[in-house]
Amino acid sequence: MSSLPALDLFLSKYQQAYVDKLGEQPRYYAQEQESDCVVGKMDSDGAVFWQAVVRQTPGQFDNVETALELTLSPEINVFYGRHFSAPLFFDSEWGSGELIQVWNQTDFEYLQQNIIGHLMMKKKLKQEPTWFIGVLDDEDKMLTVNNADGSVWVEIPGEVQSTKLAESLDEFIGLLTPRVTPPVKPIEESMPELDHPGIWQRMKLMWRNLRGK
């Protein structure tokens, strides 16, 4: 399996940044979804304190590859399959944003469905395959990995990758700085059984808008 030492380091720095600045672990509105990440009790507003953990059984994307008859770059298994974690906020030279992570196994399976949807849309548009790792706070800009060479780019839904940010995912993560910020309470939607708190709502809106074009 490939490795992403920069992700392990970023997760460690992320936790420490919150302890140094706020004197506590980061908090997350998990909407009562269980996770091995949870530490301590829920606060009065419904957020839980969390700390990223290494999964006992790593997540794999073999099923996605089989379904799409496509070989994915191996970094996807490490980026999404090594840890359970809440989304990670960051600052960078390109602006602020979030890295997607998975909260539990159900979340991982939902992520796989979204990756499949993204790749099917790329195929429909006759574009080269990419897979997303997060978003920038600036409008509808996704962060995606070029499946052919592993480079990281800015991508707007429906368009090809536009701006290259790094030659590799490990290099890209190494350029990020943890951003200490209050947890964002998600807005309830009409299908809560499919909702992922926070970042997934943005991703769903982006793809919903694309499909409506």
Side-chain angles (χ1 to χ4, degrees):
M1 177 183 284
S2 179
S3 63
L4 286 175
L7 179 58
D8 291 323
L9 179 58
F10 185 81
L11 286 167
S12 177
K13 290 168 61 178
Y14 195 85
Q15 301 287 153
Q16 192 60 49
Y18 275 80
V19 172
D20 290 345
K21 189 168 183 177
L22 302 179
E24 62 183 32
Q25 302 282 13
R27 290 180 293 150
Y28 179 59
Y29 288 100
Q31 294 183 311
E32 300 183 358
Q33 295 182 43
E34 296 182 357
S35 174
D36 293 339
C37 299
V38 177
V39 292
K41 296 181 180 180
M42 183 183 300
D43 68 17
S44 58
D45 196 37
V48 295
F49 293 95
W50 68 274
Q51 182 170 355
V53 297
V54 175
R55 297 181 55 164
Q56 293 184 354
T57 303
Q60 299 288 329
F61 282 79
D62 306 38
N63 57 332
V64 175
E65 294 180 313
T66 300
L68 298 177
E69 299 181 343
L70 173 71
T71 299
L72 295 170
S73 51
E75 289 81 7
I76 194 170
N77 292 307
V78 189
F79 184 76
Y80 283 126
R82 176 169 165 76
H83 303 92
F84 284 135
S85 169
L88 304 168
F89 298 93
F90 66 81
D91 289 317
S92 73
E93 61 184 278
W94 311 285
S96 57
E98 297 172 62
L99 293 179
I100 300 170
Q101 288 289 280
V102 293
W103 186 244
N104 53 30
Q105 179 59 28
T106 299
D107 205 19
F108 181 75
E109 293 166 4
Y110 182 41
L111 165 77
Q112 290 184 318
Q113 295 172 24
N114 279 269
I115 293 285
I116 289 174
H118 173 80
L119 288 166
M120 289 178 65
M121 183 65 73
K122 297 294 285 185
K123 183 176 181 180
K124 179 180 178 180
L125 296 172
K126 296 181 171 56
Q127 298 174 3
E128 293 299 314
T130 67
W131 43 274
F132 50 79
I133 59 170
V135 294
L136 290 175
D137 288 348
D138 183 12
E139 301 178 350
D140 289 344
K141 294 180 179 178
M142 295 191 298
L143 298 168
T144 59
V145 174
N146 184 298
N147 195 59
D149 64 12
S151 55
V152 179
W153 296 68
V154 171
E155 179 178 330
I156 295 174
E159 301 179 8
V160 297
Q161 292 177 313
S162 58
T163 304
K164 192 177 196 177
L165 305 181
E167 295 293 337
S168 69
L169 184 52
D170 199 62
E171 177 187 330
F172 173 73
I173 296 172
L175 297 172
L176 306 180
T177 302
R179 176 160 52 101
V180 177
T181 183
V184 177
K185 195 167 188 175
I187 301 171
E188 291 187 7
E189 297 180 0
S190 59
M191 298 180 67
E193 69 277 8
L194 296 179
D195 286 347
H196 178 297
I199 194 170
W200 279 123
Q201 293 177 321
R202 290 186 61 189
M203 297 294 295
K204 286 164 63 179
L205 285 173
M206 290 163 65
W207 281 107
R208 186 182 303 156
N209 292 338
L210 173 61
R211 294 189 180 101
K213 292 182 179 179

